[in-house]
Amino acid sequence: MLSTAQIQEFQQQGFLVLPQLASTTYCNSVMQLALDALREHTAPIEYEADTGYAGAPSSRDAEGGLTARRLLRAVGRDDLLMNWARQPLLVENLRQLLGEQVVLSQAHHNCIMTKQPRFSSVTGWHRDSRYWQFARAELVSVWLALRDETPENGCLSVLPGSHRWAIQPEQLDAAQFLRPDLAENQALLAQAKTVALRQGDVLFFHSNLFHAAGRNQTAETKYSFVLTYRDGDNLPVAGSRSASVPEVVL
């Protein structure tokens, strides 16, 4: 169970790290599953070339064009992933943050992130809620580090408390990323905090929290298992991408 202090930290900062929520054995098993899927190019996969982000190959036909960014529809790939996603301890923690009825979205995240040494891209400052459509922008993502995550291999950075910021449209570019050229945004970005994780650590973060990630500059792929959950009454908008895949009620 989360302590009162941990709940308050999440509410105020928009994120919370829980150390060692998964074992080394489990993390290594998921990485092996990911390696097998990458070797076979087992769909669905998002490739770095699909993103258009800085540092990504220009197309799938370009050099490095088949560098995988993430293995999609993760929990449907293997019970190893689904069982972890609905384990009682995790669900209880999420109930404390979301509400009594916890629902796993299969439309958003639900992936194994595979940030590879070459051709990995830079992800600018954004809120996930920029392209999610729910009654409220109040979802929680769960990020499990399957290997140590550091600034060198492209770990996440966050803007603490930004899930409560009132951001004006002109502060964002056409893709809803914070514009780094604006002085008012530069003052916000000065508050950035790097979230380094050890293998087995879990980061909980609010869907409205601004976060970013750099390139992987090491020789090894960084693997992360990422899921997103909502409260039972925070329904996806009918007909939207958020409602396009059946959800899992926990």
Side-chain angles (χ1 to χ4, degrees):
M1 298 289 287
L2 299 178
S3 68
T4 299
Q6 286 174 314
I7 295 171
Q8 290 176 343
E9 180 179 350
F10 181 84
Q11 291 172 342
Q12 294 169 4
Q13 300 296 310
F15 70 99
L16 177 69
V17 175
L18 296 184
Q20 300 301 287
L21 211 60
S23 68
T24 298
T25 299
Y26 179 79
C27 292
N28 290 339
S29 296
V30 177
M31 282 196 292
Q32 186 58 56
L33 186 155
L35 282 167
D36 294 342
L38 290 170
R39 183 177 59 253
E40 300 297 328
H41 287 271
T42 307
I45 297 177
E46 178 187 54
Y47 294 94
E48 289 285 1
D50 301 335
T51 66
Y53 292 165
S58 58
S59 72
R60 290 191 183 187
D61 295 325
E63 183 184 9
L66 292 182
T67 299
R69 175 181 174 81
R70 54 181 179 168
L71 301 169
L72 302 170
R73 305 290 174 86
V75 296
R77 288 175 178 263
D78 197 283
D79 286 346
L80 183 71
L81 302 173
M82 177 64 87
N83 291 341
W84 193 88
R86 57 188 181 190
Q87 63 171 296
L89 173 60
L90 182 61
V91 174
E92 281 303 314
N93 290 162
L94 288 163
R95 283 196 179 110
Q96 291 179 272
L97 300 177
L98 286 169
E100 188 58 32
Q101 182 64 76
V102 175
V103 179
L104 168 66
S105 170
Q106 294 195 82
H108 299 303
H109 285 144
N110 186 19
C111 65
I112 299 176
M113 302 290 294
T114 59
K115 181 161 285 194
Q116 301 191 44
R118 296 186 65 201
F119 308 108
S120 65
S121 59
V122 173
T123 307
W125 290 99
H126 67 285
R127 289 169 159 166
D128 287 334
S129 57
R130 79 191 195 279
Y131 60 93
W132 297 355
Q133 294 179 283
F134 291 86
R136 305 184 305 278
E138 295 176 2
L139 293 87
V140 174
S141 292
V142 173
W143 182 291
L144 168 61
L146 298 172
R147 176 173 276 168
D148 290 358
E149 303 199 4
T150 66
E152 290 73 25
N153 66 9
C155 72
L156 288 180
S157 294
V158 300
L159 297 178
S162 59
H163 63 305
R164 301 193 294 181
W165 290 354
I167 298 296
Q168 302 306 311
E170 58 270 19
Q171 293 177 258
L172 305 170
D173 64 18
Q176 301 295 296
F177 288 89
L178 273 178
R179 291 176 54 189
D181 58 309
L182 297 181
E184 58 189 311
N185 284 353
Q186 291 168 8
L188 300 178
L189 296 178
Q191 304 174 43
K193 176 181 175 63
T194 299
V195 185
L197 300 171
R198 300 296 301 273
Q199 183 182 53
D201 290 353
V202 169
L203 168 67
F204 288 66
F205 64 100
H206 194 285
S207 60
N208 241 18
L209 183 77
F210 276 102
H211 56 287
R215 299 184 65 181
N216 184 351
Q217 302 178 67
T218 72
E220 295 186 320
T221 300
K222 179 174 73 66
Y223 296 96
S224 315
F225 180 26
V226 191
L227 301 161
T228 298
Y229 300 82
R230 66 170 177 86
D231 185 18
D233 69 354
N234 188 15
L235 299 176
V237 175
S240 71
R241 175 186 167 189
S242 299
S244 65
V245 183
E247 297 176 298
V248 180
V249 179
L250 304 174

